């Protein structure tokens, strides 16, 4: 091998090494951004930190557009932020949640959290927009929850059944609303997620609507007295406060 060829091979090897090192640093940066976002999301009771978490997930997704984790975690965080945002900001935030979940599914068509958070964000987007103006989202929500049930019916403590139960309760009867179906789905959600207290709260709402106050009160009392689910402290505090208000009103 000539001296020129040796130099050429050495230069090529050095270039490949630099590319490999750059790739490793690239991956580490994305992982670090997601980890920082996770740490802030754990403190989401402080809305400013939840917004910071969303920003970090967005950065991670820009750094690696193929990061399913960054995409679905952004969608989940935008749901939380949107639920606590002023009315005039909700649509844009929930739309961001929809877009992020769609990206997770584009990355992985069987993305369990992608399908779940897409359906959830569709639901809250529709609620913010107004039921009559968002009827086109009913079938997409059902489709996303069907995908979640096929992948894992227990996901998010009965999450797909919770979403479907809420959907059938909120829909006007003329457009498919059905309290019996709502009760059936929400009872399943409660069985699958006895400490995910939003299940009981949603079911109690339907019971009150059906003049089943005794059953509703029992559910709400269980929410107030029940143990906190690990990693759901911020939600638990809100659910217990909501249950107390519902009991006081009835």
């Amino acid at each position: 091998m000539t001296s020129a060829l040796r130099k050429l091979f050495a230069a090529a090897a050095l270039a490949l090494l630099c590319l490999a090192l750059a790739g490793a640093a690239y991956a580490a940066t994305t992982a670090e951004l997601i980890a920082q976002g996770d740490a802030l999301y754990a403190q989401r009771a402080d809305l400013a930190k939840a917004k910071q978490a969303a920003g970090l997930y967005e950065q991670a997704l820009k750094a690696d557009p193929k990061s399913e984790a960054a995409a679905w975690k952004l969608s989940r965080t935008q749901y939380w932020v949107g639920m606590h945002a002023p009315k005039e900001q909700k649509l844009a935030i929930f739309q961001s949640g929809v877009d992020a979940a769609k990206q997770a599914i584009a990355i992985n068509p069987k993305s369990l959290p992608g399908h779940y958070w897409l359906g959830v964000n569709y639901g809250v987007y529709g609620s913010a927009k107004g039921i009559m103006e968002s009827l086109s989202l009913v079938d997409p929500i059902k489709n996303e929850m069907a995908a979640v049930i096929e992948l894992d019916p227990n996901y998010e403590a009965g999450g797909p059944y919770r979403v479907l139960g809420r959907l059938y309760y909120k829909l006007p009867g003329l457009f498919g609303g059905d309290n019996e179906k709502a009760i059936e789905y929400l009872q399943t959600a409660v069985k699958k997620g006895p400490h995910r207290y939003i299940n009981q709260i949603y079911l109690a709402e339907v019971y009150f609507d059906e003049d089943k106050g005794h059953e509703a009160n029992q559910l709400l009392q269980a929410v107030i007295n029940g143990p906190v689910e690990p990693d759901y402290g911020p939600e638990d505090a809100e659910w217990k406060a909501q249950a107390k208000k519902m009991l006081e009103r009835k």
Side-chain angles (χ1 to χ4, degrees):
M1 183 182 293
T2 66
S3 176
L5 280 174
R6 282 197 296 272
K7 289 180 179 179
L8 181 61
F9 280 124
L14 180 61
L16 288 172
L17 178 61
C18 289
L19 284 172
L21 290 172
Y26 178 81
T29 299
T30 301
E32 287 169 4
L33 287 168
I34 292 174
Q36 291 168 19
D38 291 347
L40 286 165
Y41 182 76
Q43 304 173 68
R44 60 192 174 280
D46 180 344
L47 191 58
K49 291 184 178 179
K51 291 178 180 178
Q52 291 172 23
L56 286 165
Y57 293 137
E58 286 177 342
Q59 290 180 46
L61 199 53
K62 287 178 181 177
D64 181 5
K66 295 296 184 183
S67 175
E68 179 190 349
W72 76 257
K73 288 182 177 183
L74 174 58
S75 182
R76 177 188 63 179
T77 306
Q78 293 297 62
Y79 164 76
W80 174 266
V81 172
M83 290 297 289
H84 297 86
K87 184 177 180 180
E88 66 273 11
Q89 297 177 13
K90 288 182 180 293
L91 283 177
I93 296 170
F94 292 143
Q95 182 64 62
S96 172
V98 166
D99 293 341
K102 285 182 176 179
Q103 189 165 348
I105 295 168
I107 295 164
N108 173 16
K110 291 189 176 182
S111 174
L112 179 57
H115 284 291
Y116 178 73
W117 290 108
L118 177 55
V120 169
N121 276 288
Y122 273 152
V124 289
Y125 179 90
S127 180
K129 194 173 183 181
I131 291 293
M132 300 306 295
E133 295 183 26
S134 57
L135 291 173
S136 62
L137 292 173
V138 171
D139 284 342
I141 292 170
K142 290 180 180 179
N143 291 338
E144 294 308 319
M145 292 307 109
V148 175
I149 290 170
E150 183 177 352
L151 291 165
D152 181 1
N154 298 309
Y155 188 67
E156 280 292 324
Y161 299 96
R162 176 170 60 249
V163 172
L164 290 170
R166 191 64 170 172
L167 178 66
Y168 279 107
Y169 175 60
K170 284 293 188 178
L171 272 177
L174 184 63
F175 298 101
D178 187 327
N179 278 4
E180 286 188 11
K181 285 185 177 180
I183 289 172
E184 183 179 345
Y185 278 120
L186 290 168
Q187 285 176 337
T188 300
V190 169
K191 289 177 183 177
K192 291 181 176 296
H195 297 142
R196 192 67 56 88
Y197 298 123
I198 192 64
N199 293 334
Q200 285 91 332
I201 287 172
Y202 283 169
L203 181 54
E205 284 191 47
V206 189
Y207 279 157
F208 279 133
D209 203 41
E210 291 293 306
D211 295 322
K212 296 182 177 181
H214 178 69
E215 292 89 336
N217 289 336
Q218 285 184 318
L219 286 170
L220 295 173
Q221 200 62 57
V223 172
I224 294 166
N225 297 333
V228 178
E229 186 177 6
D231 300 324
Y232 280 84
E235 289 86 351
D236 187 87
E238 293 184 359
W239 295 333
K240 289 182 186 300
Q242 186 176 352
K244 287 178 182 178
K245 287 182 180 179
M246 290 173 70
L247 278 174
E248 289 168 1
R249 287 200 301 265
K250 298 298 178 179

